[in-house]
Amino acid sequence: MSKQENQDIVLTAEAFIDDLTKLRTEKELKKLEKFFKGDDRETQAFGVKFGDVFKTAKRYKSMSLEEIEKLLESKYYEIRMGAVSIMDYQAKDKKTTPERKKELFDLYLRRHDRLNNWDFVDRGAYNIIGEYL
């Protein structure tokens, strides 16, 4: 994606989900459904490879906190992982202000109810929590 195309992205939760929807595959969905068996009845697989989730999140790294929180409401694992990845990209960006880092930290802690898998902790702990502290 060119720099101009990246600047033309509408940074909304809806646009992010639309972009992930284009990357869904039945093969990935079946693979991920095996991962989400057991006690976690709330989380569902969306069917997008993790690498694609991370690449998409990087394009949306300037998303507002309000839109990120909308992503955290999703029942789909990959969409919530996208939210945490966007937060991670913002937190580790050298241009991010201390005030914004606090806002990211606060959002992560306030919405920990939506982060019900160790993968979310692995993704967010270092930059969102650790670097802020």
Side-chain angles (χ1 to χ4, degrees):
M1 177 172 285
S2 73
K3 191 172 187 177
Q4 179 60 42
E5 288 173 317
N6 200 31
Q7 290 173 346
D8 293 339
I9 291 176
V10 179
L11 300 175
T12 64
E14 183 179 352
F16 181 84
I17 293 168
D18 287 346
D19 282 353
L20 282 188
T21 300
K22 295 172 192 168
L23 300 169
R24 292 174 87 178
T25 67
E26 191 65 30
K27 179 182 176 185
E28 194 64 22
L29 180 61
K30 296 245 183 269
K31 183 173 117 181
L32 289 168
E33 283 176 339
K34 291 177 186 175
F35 181 74
F36 293 114
K37 287 186 177 179
D39 293 336
D40 186 7
R41 301 276 183 235
E42 181 182 328
T43 299
Q44 295 181 21
F46 197 62
V48 179
K49 291 180 181 180
F50 296 144
D52 289 336
V53 171
F54 301 144
K55 284 183 211 171
T56 304
K58 196 167 199 173
R59 292 196 327 264
Y60 282 80
K61 72 178 183 178
S62 297
M63 182 182 277
S64 72
L65 294 177
E66 294 79 18
E67 293 298 314
I68 293 169
E69 189 159 7
K70 289 177 187 177
L71 295 175
L72 289 172
E73 288 297 324
S74 178
K75 65 183 177 183
Y76 295 108
Y77 170 85
E78 298 95 321
I79 293 172
R80 292 198 320 270
M81 179 56 77
V84 175
S85 297
I86 291 166
M87 293 169 68
D88 179 62
Y89 288 128
Q90 285 186 24
K92 69 181 173 185
D93 187 329
K94 293 187 186 320
K95 295 181 222 165
T96 301
T97 66
E99 294 80 19
R100 179 55 164 219
K101 289 182 181 193
K102 169 124 176 53
E103 292 171 341
L104 293 164
F105 172 86
D106 290 343
L107 177 60
Y108 186 92
L109 290 183
R110 183 171 50 80
R111 294 313 314 265
H112 76 277
D113 63 308
R114 303 302 299 153
L115 308 174
N116 61 347
N117 186 295
W118 279 106
D119 293 346
F120 297 121
V121 175
D122 289 344
R123 183 69 195 201
Y126 186 80
N127 291 306
I128 300 168
I129 301 298
E131 286 296 316
Y132 172 74
L133 292 175

